[in-house]
Amino acid sequence: MLCRHSLFLLGLLHLRLCDNWLGLVQAQQTFFPAAVPLAVRTPTFNCWLQTANGSNPMASWPTFWNNQHILGWAGYIKVDGQTWHWLGDPIPGNASTWLSTQITPTRTIITVQAGPMQLNVTFLSPVEPSDWSKQSFPFSYVYIDGKATDNQPHSIQLYSDISGEWVTNSLATPIQWSSSKIGSTSYHQVRSTNALSTFQDVAEDSVAYHAISTEQPNLVSIIGTDQALRAQFATNQEGIFLTTDLAGQFGNVRGTDGKFPVLAHAVNLGTVETISSVAWAVGVVRDPITTFMNVSRRAYYWSQYATIDDAIAAFVDDFPAARTRAIALDEQILQAATAVSQDYADLVSLATRQAMAGMDITLSTSPDGTWNFSDVKIFMKDVGNSQRVNPTETIYGALPALMYFNTSFIGALLEPLLEYQSSSAYTNPFAASDLGLGYPAVPGDPSSDALFAVENSGNMLILALAHARSSGDGSLIGRYYLLLKQWADYLSNNSLIPSQQSPADSREASLAQTHGNITNLALKGIIAVQAMAEISQIKAEAADAQKYGATAESLAQSWISMTMASSQLLWTYGESASYGLMYNLLAEKLLQLNLFPQTVYAAESTSLSNHAADLPPFGFALSSESSANTRSDWTLFTAATVPDNATRDRLISTVRAKASANASAGTFPNLYDVQTGAGPGAGISPNGFASPAQGAMFSLLALAVPNKTVVIPPSAPAKTSAGGSHTSNAGAIAGGVVGGLASVLLLAGLALFLHRRKRRTDADGEMATPQPYNGAPNMAQMFDAPGESATSPTSASGAIHVPPSRGPTANAFPSKAVMGGVLRTANAEPTSAVPSSQPGSSHLPSVSGTSVSRGTNDENLRSEMVRLRQEVEQLRAAQVPQEAPPVYE
Ligand SMILES: *[C@@H]1O[C@H](CO)[C@@H](O)[C@H](O)[C@H]1NC(C)=O
Ligand SMILES: *[C@@H]1O[C@H](CO)[C@@H](O)[C@H](O)[C@H]1NC(C)=O
Ligand SMILES: *[C@@H]1O[C@H](CO)[C@@H](O)[C@H](O)[C@H]1NC(C)=O
Ligand SMILES: *[C@@H]1O[C@H](CO)[C@@H](O)[C@H](O)[C@H]1NC(C)=O
Ligand SMILES: *[C@@H]1O[C@H](CO)[C@@H](O)[C@H](O)[C@H]1NC(C)=O
Ligand SMILES: *[C@@H]1O[C@H](CO)[C@@H](O)[C@H](O)[C@H]1NC(C)=O
Ligand SMILES: *[C@@H]1O[C@H](CO)[C@@H](O)[C@H](O)[C@H]1NC(C)=O
Ligand SMILES: *[C@@H]1O[C@H](CO)[C@@H](O)[C@H](O)[C@H]1NC(C)=O
Ligand SMILES: *[C@@H]1O[C@H](CO)[C@@H](O)[C@H](O)[C@H]1NC(C)=O
């Protein structure tokens, strides 16, 4: 089984088998990202290893995604009394020899030589698209496999620790730490004691965990100073010597004393020839995630576990199964991606964890304290570009990955945007840019919305239809139909000749919309109007479907006549030399709208291939006019639309060249200079780093995601600003082509119906009732602190802040420091205090049976409608074959 996986991956990753200097079979690396993902699950649990050319990955500390902040994480192996480190740059110890790094969608495998031992150090960040409890749990694994290259048994001890840097921005932040054991899991935790609820990058309002199974042989779990523990482990003796018997009190808190605790687990394997998957877990937990519309929201996994201890223990116990699932998912993705090309498989591999880690999946509780499983909302951070929450263009960029992994993610991302824009707080006739400017605060942010009105309205309609079509779930369309329609009306009037959307700012530039008359922006608006026609059809609003369909058709014809010139596509109306990445064509293709003829797609290929001779090393600029920058996401969108494989492969290879260009440091940016590859903004929150919009790498795979029959749940609760509840129980209807007599009848019925509805709508009240605040447990309740009284630091007078220590010589605080909590497997420690939480009684999505007030005439109309729809469904059933099963199963 494992052997099969290895061979399979060897083939897929294009690894060349060759003899290295040790005379061993070793993989030859061809892909060299400047940073590789280590533990990447959420916007705030996002740890990378810089592997830029010139930096030895075995002598570099892991960093936060911004490449500005070290996340202390040290790994040692001791072989016959001599010690090498396989992670971080701890003192003492010698760096093991780095041999290669492989990246799969869920794993980063670093192969190193430590004396006679060759190790595969695997960093596994699970991607669990079908289990949102698992997907939302912000933990990752690291595990070690190894073999003696001299085929001799050796005395082996392994060690891993993390520091408080995972939850602090500076050594001045007071922290607190402790150790626990639950079931067969031993873990440590550290958190700040004056947590700020706002953060820019590293979240101080979180708890970091380091866990291991107690079934590991001769486990020692201990917290102490870096100097004490690392030096003790690395002494030239066989076995583990981590003790508490140093004089003095290390305690369990840091005030202003500059203490630098590390939270360590070490195991003694004894004398062995091979090492078989010794695993640790790390995690960074924020709770609650946010408060939206006055309702506190916690990560989804809390609905499955009574306590964090249970969740950690389940994660640790699940390791073998999680690894099997991850390998299977990797195989599935890589098999599909290598059918395009190896370059493409590399891009998808690097992008997967980055895309998935942009999101926090949340739930609320009902007033009775039980989990409300019909209220799942996802919050996405515009990691690396701004701090914005659920920015529409970033969700749009990530759309291909979201469709590929589980299209329900799109619905849960759109839900809060739609809910906010249905509230009285939002009055614009076009869609909002996002939910707020500073993750995780979601107050809404109408300030910039007018500046991106076509962009955002187009994104929302396209995303809404993409969600419905690929999930079959019509509930958003059922509930927010009138809101969507409002945006379609705006686009019907404003998209063909888009005005300059805003003074050219960085966002405008990164969309290549730096002035008016941009054809690619017009294209998005027109596609979105056609999307509305399809949405109307799903909703059985035949008159609307007809209207938007006719409008889109006419706009499309005008667009083609103004944009196509000499079989090429202009970037700006009237500018004959202009061209660019016409990336919004992907939306038309994904939605199969058949609005634009194949000649339009071919013309884009021609525009780009005519300029292939001037192609800069890292790709075509976004447009011939805007700047020297390009975007990886829009390049891959374009690659998935061009009909000729040569242009497609050229676009893919330039992005792959950037992803593998490690001359400049930093995580895979989606915005960079086409000549140098440099991201435009280094520094704190550098532009373009680690954006979830890299989900766009899945553009070609998303094209294979099948349609489903869209069903609007009969009792979807109404949530439109114009009170659409009276249409929401009209019954399920299949999306798609409505034909023959039935549609004529339907049209007549609808005209009458719509007339009545308009009258009612005008009289209806507007607002959904605000949700009560549920007061979910906060961090303090969740955190288990043995010495909670000791949270405030004692007098700071005369205290000197020392920089984080990497070794004994660098640290100024007294050497009498001793570790606080020691935990050996033999002594069971008391388990953590149980946080107050509300485990869900069941995990079934509840569809509440909203009752609807019914007028007699409406009732008659409605039963007529239902009858008509049944006929349409029968017609469809006769014509349309059962759709294929979803791609991911
Ligand atoms: C690293 O830089 C050196 C010197 O510039 C170059 O020869 C080598 O090819 C680079 N390696 C990679 C993997 O880019
Ligand atoms: C590092 O390597 C040197 C040279 O082989 C050796 O003398 C020393 O003991 C090693 N350090 C540790 C901590 O093992
Ligand atoms: C997508 O997520 C939903 C919600 O968790 C789940 O019910 C569904 O089975 C998932 N679909 C796939 C294809 O994994
Ligand atoms: C490490 O990974 C390589 C490549 O997948 C594999 O050939 C080798 O057997 C692995 N080593 C161990 C000890 O598992
Ligand atoms: C949230 O609560 C505040 C204070 O109770 C209230 O003023 C505000 O309108 C509420 N907001 C929403 C969106 O319900
Ligand atoms: C283009 O590549 C795809 C594989 O991604 C292949 O199926 C198709 O046949 C190729 N088209 C041409 C014209 O070569
Ligand atoms: C559960 O959430 C849905 C969607 O937000 C809401 O309509 C419903 O009222 C909630 N149910 C309870 C019992 O709070
Ligand atoms: C857009 O094009 C039209 C017609 O060519 C022109 O009248 C208008 O000035 C242009 N707008 C901008 C902002 O360039
Ligand atoms: C998907 O649905 C659209 C609209 O109903 C239709 O035009 C298209 O042919 C469908 N595609 C497939 C593959 O079923």
Side-chain angles (χ1 to χ4, degrees), residues 606-632:
T606 306
S607 302
L608 297 178
S609 56
N610 283 353
H611 291 92
D614 331 319
L615 181 65
F618 300 114
F620 288 109
L622 274 164
S623 84
S624 55
E625 305 173 334
S626 58
S627 69
N629 288 329
T630 195
R631 275 181 64 151
S632 54

Side-chain angles (χ1 to χ4, degrees), residues 723-809:
S725 67
H726 42 290
T727 60
S728 66
N729 72 337
I733 181 150
V737 185
V738 176
L741 177 63
S743 71
V744 177
L745 289 172
L746 195 56
L747 204 65
L750 271 168
L752 191 55
F753 185 70
L754 288 170
H755 175 69
R756 288 199 56 84
R757 192 184 60 172
K758 179 165 174 14
R759 287 206 347 245
R760 274 193 57 162
T761 300
D762 295 341
D764 271 353
E766 295 279 296
M767 274 291 296
T769 328
Q771 308 250 0
Y773 180 75
N774 281 315
N778 62 20
M779 197 59 98
Q781 285 168 276
M782 187 183 81
F783 182 71
D784 162 42
E788 250 162 355
S789 57
T791 52
S792 43
T794 47
S795 164
S797 62
I800 297 164
H801 291 176
V802 290
S805 152
R806 304 293 160 207
T809 52

Side-chain angles (χ1 to χ4, degrees), residues 469 534 537 591-594 706-708 735-737 876 883:
R469 275 277 190 73
E534 306 274 341
Q537 215 159 54
L591 298 174
Q592 301 168 9
L593 299 177
N594 301 317
N707 276 352
K708 285 193 175 180
V737 185
R876 269 185 62 86
E883 66 275 1

Side-chain angles (χ1 to χ4, degrees), residues 123-142:
F123 296 86
L124 166 58
S125 287
V127 171
E128 305 272 9
S130 58
D131 183 331
W132 290 13
S133 174
K134 288 192 167 70
Q135 180 57 40
S136 65
F137 191 57
F139 273 65
S140 293
Y141 304 102
V142 56

Side-chain angles (χ1 to χ4, degrees), residues 515 517 562 565 569-579 624-625:
H515 54 70
N517 284 339
M562 295 193 304
L569 297 183
L570 303 182
W571 187 257
T572 303
Y573 295 134
E575 294 291 332
S576 61
S578 63
Y579 70 98
S624 55
E625 305 173 334

